[in-house]
Amino acid sequence: MKAPSSSAEINKSWVEFMLSDYESKKKPSTTVVVKNHSIRNATKPGESFNAELILLDVEAEVKSKDTESESITPKEYNLIVKFLAGDALTCEIIKRCEYHIKEFMMYSEVVHELNKFQAERANNEYSLNLPNYIYGKCTDKEYVLVMENVKVLGYETNPKKEGLDFHHAKLAVNHVARLHAVSYAYDKSHNFLEKYPCYKFSTAISTFFKPVVWASLANAITFLKSKKGFEDMVRKLETGKTTLPVKFAALWDDQNRHKFLCLTHGDFWNSNLMFKHKEAEVDGEKTIESLKLIDWQISQWNNPVFDLHYLLNTSTSFEMRRDHSEEILRHYHSTFSEVTTKLGTPVPNWNYEQFKAEFERTTLVGFLMGMCLIQGTLSKAGETINHSNSTCLDCRCCHPCKVAFDKVKAGVAKVVVSFAFKPSSGFFIRAALKRVLRPIAQELVEGNNEVLNGRLLDLLMEADEKGVLDVLTL
């Protein structure tokens, strides 16, 4: 059966087909009859710009047959359905970078394969925890991914404005260390990239990120100029403004210089971590029971320290980094070393000092990713930029016109994205992004968003104190 391409195309017949396919894989000759189903948005406007996320709740009957009888069991399903972004331009970028394929493969095959591997070698001690995969379709013309809705099981994301405290950050790096270690060990005997070539490193991320760095940097300069006492920092940023994206790409793309490579999450930050807490509190604080990692679109075979940079610079406060970053890094290294050793593949020449040297060598990457993501996720203006309003063409009577219009937009998007990934397009893309992100600069100058301003200023000052900004003038 053809998969729906958006929430508007979800119907009872497809839900029955999809769930019957899921149940029959566990027990042949099983079918699902839907009694009721409901659909609603899984995110608020502006929270997700790279996908359409839908909550699908289903009341059904599961019919199972054996040689002698048939059983009928009532069952409820609470699901997340993920489609490609409705915006043609975003959709084309995702396809160009194969983000949708990576996430589909992660849920449908990779996590199962890696968990099977670590279970055989380490008695399932280092399992990778994702929401359960229910159904998926990933072809040139169809894409849908269905997962369990773990919020119903008590999982929740930590409020992004608060950031992660020490205990939540420590558990997060424990899980990402497992991912890095298990994939590294698996590769030694199974050749990961030969089996899953979609995860091969691509410069597409740095190519796309360069103008974002430039535009976000322009916002940071505007912000600092509106305050007194930051003239020296402004000078450093303005001096390195044109070379900064190049330095980022050089650090990110230099695969030969990285100590070793493994499967990385790529978007490892607060909103992609779902924690479950125990009901009983200890000393007035929630005790973490478990964690699930979500949103694998940007996963790729890359330097593992980038995931750590991303988490610390986007999702923690200056105080947490100041007081606990050393302990966090040591915990990551000890976990990674323990897992790789237990799986029979210890990494040579990778003691804590060597790991820390690699982390510090790439500090500029962490600062830049943090600077960009903080502006995009903590600003109210960012939510407006991400929000795509419906149009008069969305009504049912205008469907033929909408189909034709969408095809035109898709064609234009292919041309624009193809142009955007060419080196010669840099000036035009930077100018366009600067205009798009200008409302964030205005919000920074106005100073009403204390969380945004405080986190960005802390990150800039911390980078300057560590000498990170000094490389911009070299």
Side-chain angles (χ1 to χ4, degrees), residues 319-331:
E319 289 76 18
M320 206 293 292
R321 295 191 295 274
R322 178 194 63 200
D323 297 338
H324 298 293
S325 62
E326 183 70 16
E327 189 173 351
I328 290 288
L329 293 177
R330 286 190 178 277
H331 179 67

Side-chain angles (χ1 to χ4, degrees), residues 28 39 156 262 265 296 307 323 362 378 402 406 428:
I39 301 167
E156 59 186 356
C262 60
H265 185 280
W296 294 83
D307 276 344
D323 297 338
T362 54
L378 294 181
K402 186 177 187 302
D406 286 346
F428 301 99

